[in-house]
Amino acid sequence: MSAEFLFELESLIKDRQANPVDGSYTNALLTAGVDRILKKVGEEAGEVIIAAKNQDKSELSHEIADLMYHLSVLLAEQGHSWSDIMAVLKQRHQ
């Protein structure tokens, strides 16, 4: 799997924005709004810290995946994309 999956995930999240699905966790977050999404981002960031401190590679991978998912939802909610973030990173490292 490549980093392209982030863009696939982004597309799935944007599709849920446009076409809500009953029972979808993504839709529940988007419906709850930015405060709920930010709370989840904060929780997941804390769990990343704990996993890293525990030096548990598997746990760290899972927690970073959770964080990246919630960041993807936040980006969609705010009208941004992973391409926006990649452009900033690229600019910083030229």
Side-chain angles (χ1 to χ4, degrees):
M1 187 175 303
S2 69
E4 287 297 314
F5 182 74
L6 277 178
F7 297 108
E8 290 177 36
L9 178 61
E10 178 178 72
S11 291
L12 289 169
I13 292 168
K14 287 181 180 181
D15 184 63
R16 290 292 162 91
Q17 271 185 306
N19 306 294
V21 174
D22 285 341
S24 162
Y25 178 64
T26 299
N27 282 129
L29 285 172
L30 291 167
T31 299
V34 71
D35 287 345
R36 177 69 177 137
I37 297 166
L38 291 173
K39 181 177 179 185
K40 289 303 297 180
V41 167
E43 287 174 10
E44 297 303 340
E47 290 173 8
V48 166
I49 292 166
I50 292 166
K53 292 287 284 178
N54 290 340
Q55 298 183 341
D56 184 326
K57 189 173 182 176
S58 176
E59 180 185 4
L60 181 59
S61 293
H62 284 88
E63 297 304 342
I64 289 174
D66 288 347
L67 177 58
M68 291 183 74
Y69 162 77
H70 287 92
L71 286 172
S72 296
V73 174
L74 177 62
L75 287 170
E77 194 278 336
Q78 294 286 302
H80 288 286
S81 70
W82 280 113
S83 294
D84 298 330
I85 306 310
M86 299 299 177
V88 171
L89 288 170
K90 185 175 181 178
Q91 181 181 28
R92 287 180 182 177
H93 291 89
Q94 288 182 338

